[in-house]
Amino acid sequence: AQTVTQSQPEMSVQEAETVTLSCTYDTSESDYYLFWYKQPPSRQMILVIRQEAYKQQNATENRFSVNFQKAAKSFSLKISDSQLGDAAMYFCAYRSGEAGKSTFGDGTTLTVKP
Amino acid sequence: NAGVTQTPKFRVLKTGQSMTLLCAQDMNHEYMYWYRQDPGMGLRLIHYSVGEGTTAKGEVPDGYNVSRLKKQNFLLGLESAAPSQTSVYFCASSPIRLVNDTGELFFGEGSRLTVL
């Protein structure tokens, strides 16, 4: 079974600064996806960024980028120029390419200080 | 743009009562999932379905049953609610794997269930 570990229960960052959230995973599969989801106080799960395992290039979405180290099974999220609206719980998730099931980490609560 | 809709949004039950959570999606997705989220924890998979008429167990299936009689609906049932089932429940859906499948899950807004 796949596991996803987020070792930072809480992180804080100053507005306009950069922060990196860590995620490691364990799998024996070669075909999979990795995701970061954001959950603000509204509870809605919002996709932040995705990475296909077969792609070597790290995904980037505006201020959000990932550092995907496949051999190390590491998938960190970097948020640049942090904004107050980035404050939320962030979940790292693994999705099997075959079965379609997704496994989530326990989340990292990000606080943005003005 | 309805997407994934869950009903009800909130419910309070007494121990031993039964209830059903309804998830409806209008995106013609094959896969549907039920997760629960407890404080300080991530989402844990209860049951999922890879198509109409099929269901399978996830990580934490005990105490729950599901049905997928129609492609667009996925029902989660609690036959005899227990306080340990107090949680926020999320339904999600995704399309079947295609060349351009993004792999993304589309979530409902969650249903908060309290069992007294």
Side-chain angles (χ1 to χ4, degrees):
Chain A
Q2 293 77 31
T3 59
V4 177
T5 302
Q6 294 179 249
S7 59
Q8 306 154 316
E10 297 178 348
M11 291 284 284
S12 68
V13 62
Q14 207 70 33
E15 195 176 4
E17 298 293 310
T18 295
V19 65
T20 299
L21 308 184
S22 300
C23 173
T24 58
Y25 61 96
D26 188 27
T27 185
S28 58
E29 299 176 329
S30 59
D31 179 20
Y32 55 89
Y33 302 91
L34 296 165
F35 302 87
W36 280 97
Y37 288 91
K38 170 185 177 181
Q39 187 181 42
S42 68
R43 228 167 50 192
Q44 182 67 47
M45 295 288 284
I46 302 165
L47 178 67
V48 175
I49 198 165
R50 71 173 67 84
Q51 176 81 43
E52 290 90 341
Y54 66 87
K55 290 186 177 179
Q56 293 184 339
Q57 187 173 7
N58 288 327
T60 299
E61 288 287 341
N62 299 316
R63 298 183 295 107
F64 299 88
S65 61
V66 299
N67 183 6
F68 174 45
Q69 301 289 327
K70 190 172 184 178
K73 295 179 182 174
S74 171
F75 183 61
S76 61
L77 174 69
K78 184 171 83 171
I79 306 174
S80 304
D81 185 25
S82 296
Q83 301 176 359
L84 295 177
D86 294 334
M89 176 85 85
Y90 286 81
F91 291 99
C92 178
Y94 170 103
R95 179 179 174 180
S96 169
E98 283 295 325
K101 294 187 295 180
S102 290
T103 302
F104 288 78
D106 285 342
T108 297
T109 300
L110 178 65
T111 302
V112 181
K113 299 179 180 178
Chain B
N1 282 352
V4 179
T5 303
Q6 295 180 225
T7 53
K9 298 287 191 294
F10 301 92
R11 184 74 186 270
V12 178
L13 289 176
K14 294 181 179 179
T15 297
Q17 287 185 319
S18 63
M19 75 157 295
T20 300
L21 293 172
L22 170 64
C23 177
Q25 53 96 3
D26 61 2
M27 297 172 282
N28 201 35
H29 286 169
E30 292 291 336
Y31 294 162
M32 295 188 75
Y33 313 84
W34 275 108
Y35 287 90
R36 61 177 288 174
Q37 183 181 24
D38 299 309
M41 299 183 72
L43 279 69
R44 291 183 293 169
L45 184 63
I46 305 171
H47 286 280
Y48 66 103
S49 169
V50 299
E52 182 179 320
T54 69
T55 63
K57 294 180 180 180
E59 300 173 67
V60 289
D62 293 343
Y64 305 94
N65 57 75
V66 289
S67 64
R68 183 100 181 267
L69 299 180
K70 295 182 178 181
K71 184 177 183 179
Q72 64 268 32
N73 295 338
F74 194 30
L75 279 63
L76 178 71
L78 286 71
E79 289 188 349
S80 180
S84 61
Q85 294 178 303
T86 294
S87 190
V88 178
Y89 292 85
F90 284 93
C91 177
S93 70
S94 69
I96 198 167
R97 185 86 182 275
L98 296 173
V99 172
N100 59 351
D101 177 20
T102 63
E104 174 187 356
L105 291 182
F106 294 80
F107 285 90
E109 294 180 346
S111 299
R112 181 177 294 279
L113 175 64
T114 302
V115 183
L116 302 176

